[in-house]
């Protein structure tokens, strides 16, 4: 779409440089930034075929919200609360509002410490509601409450044929299912109604427990599943031999009657610039992992009660932490494997990573439960999910990612598109068996670097 095409549009066109959170790719995009839901609908109705993708706050690690040489629709201007029912906990808001703003405004403790909380919180609160829906994000309570999309009551979608549709499990249910986890490819999400949850206390009782080997993770996880709502483990990805899979198990639950203020809307510290060399390398990872593994001391267990910020959003404490990986950036890998293969496949993945001497300080292992996501191509499925960063070492890293991908897909698992920059088309198709059904609902105007890489939109289709 040329700039002149948009002369009468509700948002001016301009060219800007955008990158993925992993900084693997940075490229110029033509951008449109609507300031209202009507403006966004008008933009959607003017988009040519295969031209655009919506972008929220830019926290996707890979290329699902990149569209080099084409159009990004910057949705951050749609950041208004519309309505909140304090009796039912239903919030209606525009799609560009950040989760951090919802928490700051609505998740304040009452006199007894109870309050309203987002039912599912991913690893960062600095993402938009639209992004959370499009990627069907998950949190540390996925084993009990499912994914973000499980708590979307309805949403409004602008399609390139000019329609503005309400989608819910009852109204346009097929399009609703395609949009939850649909990577922004079904149209522009304008607004959403979310079902918040009332919790007995906004503070958390949290417990950290060191464990010596992978099988101990599964024992702790089975013991914790019923009594602890939030569970996950940090893994020392460089440990091998008898210590393969050692780590620290983290579990938490709401502390009734103990109030806790919402976290700040912005980090108090930030990495100001991208350093010329990566601060995450073999030496720093080995040093960090050795120290972190011993952080609980001889007692190997620590409990505390406090704000949920440190439990849910530890990375949000430092703004632009992704810059620490230097100009080459990093790959994030997250996969889920079915429960019946969880332990042997996780062991195989960790052994491959340990042998390659790659990996990072940020390695998370946790369980997805049996609650089925409403999304056709949502990532969450029953099983165990492993997530970690890999500093970009070029071909060596890409070959390692390919080996990990083969292990996951052979076990009937799948890779998370929101964090992917290397998955093959074959692996995507195998991991997401409802893909053909999903394609029937794709908006013809929508495209992205990920969609073209996966063959959802063929290059020759581009106008």
């Amino acid at each position: 779409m040329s700039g002149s095409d948009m002369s009468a549009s509700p948002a001016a066109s301009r060219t800007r440089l955008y990158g993925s959170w992993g900084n693997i790719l940075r490229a110029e995009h033509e951008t449109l930034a609507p300031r209202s839901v009507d403006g966004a609908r008008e933009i959607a109705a003017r988009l040519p075929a295969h031209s655009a993708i919506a972008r929220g706050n830019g926290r996707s690690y890979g290329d699902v919200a990149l569209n080099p040489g084409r159009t990004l629709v910057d949705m951050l201007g749609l950041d208004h609360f519309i309505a909140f029912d304090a009796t039912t906990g239903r919030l209606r808001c525009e799609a560009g509002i950040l989760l951090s703003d919802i928490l700051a405004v609505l998740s304040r403790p009452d006199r007894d410490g109870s309050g309203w909380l987002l039912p599912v919180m991913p690893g960062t609160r600095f993402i938009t509601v639209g992004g959370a829906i499009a990627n069907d994000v998950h949190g540390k309570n996925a084993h009990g409450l499912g994914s973000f999309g499980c708590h979307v009551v309805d949403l409004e979608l602008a399609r390139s044929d000019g329609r503005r549709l309400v989608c819910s499990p009852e109204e346009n249910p097929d399009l609703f299912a395609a949009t939850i986890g649909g990577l922004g490819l079904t149209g522009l999400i304008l607004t959403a109604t979310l079902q918040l949850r009332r919790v007995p206390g906004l503070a958390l009782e949290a417990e950290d427990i060191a464990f010596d080997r992978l099988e101990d993770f599964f024992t702790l996880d089975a013991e914790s599943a019923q009594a602890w709502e939030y569970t996950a483990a940090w893994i020392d990805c460089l440990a091998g031999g008898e210590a393969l899979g050692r780590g620290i198990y983290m579990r938490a639950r709401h502390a009734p009657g103990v109030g806790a203020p919402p976290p700040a809307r912005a980090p108090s510290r930030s990495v100001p610039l991208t350093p010329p060399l990566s601060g995450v390398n073999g030496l720093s990872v080995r040093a960090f992992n050795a120290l972190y593994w011993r952080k609980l001391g001889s007692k190997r267990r620590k409990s505390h009660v406090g704000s949920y910020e440190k439990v849910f959003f530890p990375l949000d404490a430092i703004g632009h932490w992704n810059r620490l990986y230097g100009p080459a950036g990093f790959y994030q890998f997250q996969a889920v494997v079915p429960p019946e293969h969880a332990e042997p496949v996780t062991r195989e993945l960790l052994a491959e990573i340990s042998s390659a001497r790659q990996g990072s300080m940020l390695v998370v292992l946790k369980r997805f439960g049996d609650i089925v996501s409403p999304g056709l191509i949502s990532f969450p499925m029953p099983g165990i999910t492993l997530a970690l960063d890999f500093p970009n070492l070029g071909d060596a890293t890409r070959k390692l990612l390919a080996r990990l991908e083969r292990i996951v897909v052979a076990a009937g698992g799948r890779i998370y598109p929101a964090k992917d920059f290397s998955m093959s088309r074959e692996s995507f198709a195998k991991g997401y068996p409802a893909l053909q059904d999903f394609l029937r609902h794709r908006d013809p105007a929508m495209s992205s670097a990920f969609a073209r890489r996966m063959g959802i939109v063929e290059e020759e289709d581009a106008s």
Side-chain angles (χ1 to χ4, degrees), residues 54-60 64-65 75 94-97 99 122 127-137 148 179 181-184 189 416 418:
R55 182 179 175 90
N57 204 31
R59 293 303 183 105
S60 293
V64 293
M75 301 297 287
E94 293 179 349
I97 199 165
L99 302 190
I127 65 170
T128 63
V129 167
I133 294 172
N135 293 286
D136 199 10
V137 299
F148 196 91
T179 302
L183 308 175
I189 301 172
Y416 193 9

Side-chain angles (χ1 to χ4, degrees), residues 29 50-54 63-68 70-72 182-185 442 445-457 459:
H29 295 72
H50 318 302
S51 66
I53 194 72
D63 54 358
V64 293
L66 290 179
N67 208 15
R70 304 185 195 189
T71 300
L72 288 182
L183 308 175
L185 296 171
R442 185 180 72 83
M446 295 299 158
S447 182
S448 67
F450 178 86
R452 292 191 291 278
R453 185 161 58 85
M454 291 299 110
I456 296 173
V457 177
E459 287 289 349

